[in-house]
Amino acid sequence: MAKLLDIQSLRAGYGSINVLWDLSLSVEEGKLTCILGPNGGGKTTLLRAIMGLVRTDGGTVAYQGNDRTNASTWAMVNDGIAMIPEGRMVFRDMTVADNLLMGAFPKKCRARAPQNLKMVYDMFPRLYERRDQLAGALSGGEAQMLAMGRGLMEEPKLILVDEPSLGLAPVVVDEVMGILDRLRGEGRTIVLVEQNTNKALKIADHVYLIRGGKVVLSEAAASVDLGRLHDLYFARDALHAE
Ligand SMILES: Nc1ncnc2c1ncn2[C@@H]1O[C@H](COP(=O)(O)OP(=O)(O)OP(=O)(O)O)[C@@H](O)[C@H]1O
Ligand SMILES: [Mg+2]
């Protein structure tokens, strides 16, 4: 299987605070790779570093076999990577339709915006119903769908989605996971950052656990032992070792 994204020994942080410590991971094309880990572990920082939103301080980011370390966010979007950020970040004072059209801003996909808008509305009928409403009036689940729809307007090959289930009711989480599963089925590659371990494991192909800016587990989702995963998640391995 081809590696779509390959990260080697990445270091990144904010000013003098380092967050990622020689972190290495790879993402196979057409697969759903899940990144789990406790709060403050560096999951969002990793996505930001991939997207050129946080400057790296060592290591490499390769995409489609090319070195893209510290490429601009713009260049990464043009290369077909969409980030669906933590907290959704929809434009609250703009309509649902205008939010979606913002996703079609990259020149390469502007001409196909009408078809892509239709594709997004087919996938999220509720967004179609609410297309003329302000995004600020959406429920949490609808806002998450809007953030995903906006990402899809960029025609991404690789989708980085950061904690989409945050604050959503279980039934809505299932809906969001179902959509990610479907996008993978359509041949897209997905990196899913989650804290909802059980639900994420059900759709993931491969799992990484990140803690303290390092990978502490890398395993096929099907063979993950939940007890061991939780021990590593809550650093109980360190307690046992004492
Ligand atoms: N803009 C920033 N400036 C300084 N430090 C930051 C900034 N953003 C994050 N950090 C710090 O970097 C570390 C990793 O944060 P990050 O947001 O990457 O974690 P996370 O794994 O995404 O956590 P969560 O599950 O809570 O979203 C934390 O210690 C955090 O306080
Ligand atoms: Mg985060």
Side-chain angles (χ1 to χ4, degrees):
M1 259 294 174
K3 280 182 191 172
L4 188 60
L5 187 66
D6 191 25
I7 294 166
Q8 291 297 328
S9 305
L10 197 66
R11 273 190 188 218
Y14 306 91
S16 58
I17 306 164
N18 197 60
V19 174
L20 305 180
W21 296 94
D22 301 329
L23 187 146
S24 300
L25 62 77
S26 60
V27 171
E28 279 185 23
E29 188 156 5
K31 302 282 184 193
L32 194 151
T33 300
C34 183
I35 299 177
L36 300 167
N39 293 120
K43 305 180 297 295
T44 299
T45 304
L46 170 63
L47 298 192
R48 286 188 189 140
I50 295 167
M51 292 307 286
L53 290 163
V54 166
R55 228 189 139 68
T56 63
D57 196 24
T60 53
V61 175
Y63 175 67
Q64 291 183 309
N66 302 313
D67 183 10
R68 309 299 278 140
T69 318
N70 289 327
S72 70
T73 307
W74 211 216
M76 296 310 259
V77 170
N78 266 325
D79 278 357
I81 310 183
M83 174 150 149
I84 301 170
E86 193 176 4
R88 288 128 207 176
M89 308 272 183
V90 299
F91 301 101
R92 298 175 62 83
D93 297 331
M94 288 168 60
T95 64
V96 166
D98 284 345
N99 264 274
L100 291 173
L101 289 171
M102 288 300 285
F105 195 71
K107 228 179 199 161
K108 58 163 186 137
C109 55
R110 278 185 211 170
R112 285 181 301 276
Q115 294 99 290
N116 289 333
L117 195 59
K118 185 176 178 310
M119 177 268 297
V120 169
Y121 285 147
D122 285 345
M123 188 172 284
F124 305 103
R126 258 175 307 175
L127 294 184
Y128 181 70
E129 287 163 23
R130 287 162 174 65
R131 63 193 180 282
D132 297 324
Q133 281 183 17
L134 294 183
L138 296 178
S139 72
E142 290 161 355
Q144 186 59 49
M145 312 238 167
L146 179 56
M148 295 192 340
R150 182 181 57 194
L152 289 173
M153 293 292 290
E154 290 171 30
E155 304 182 338
K157 194 175 172 64
L158 174 63
I159 301 172
L160 312 177
V161 51
D162 197 353
E163 299 210 34
S165 73
L166 204 68
L168 304 184
V171 56
V172 186
V173 175
D174 290 342
E175 208 177 324
V176 168
M177 295 291 168
I179 285 159
L180 293 174
D181 197 17
R182 178 171 153 194
L183 290 170
R184 184 248 325 261
E186 288 171 2
R188 310 219 196 219
T189 306
I190 297 170
V191 173
L192 168 64
V193 167
E194 257 305 329
Q195 298 219 29
N196 197 327
T197 307
N198 293 348
K199 293 199 175 182
L201 276 177
K202 285 201 183 106
I203 58 166
D205 295 297
H206 195 91
V207 177
Y208 287 97
L209 179 62
I210 292 182
R211 205 182 68 206
K214 292 178 182 162
V215 170
V216 293
L217 174 133
S218 164
E219 215 162 279
S223 57
V224 167
D225 176 285
L226 268 181
R228 188 166 156 262
L229 178 73
H230 286 145
D231 280 351
L232 288 167
Y233 197 107
F234 297 112
R236 288 192 292 242
D237 55 324
L239 291 176
H240 292 326
E242 278 169 14

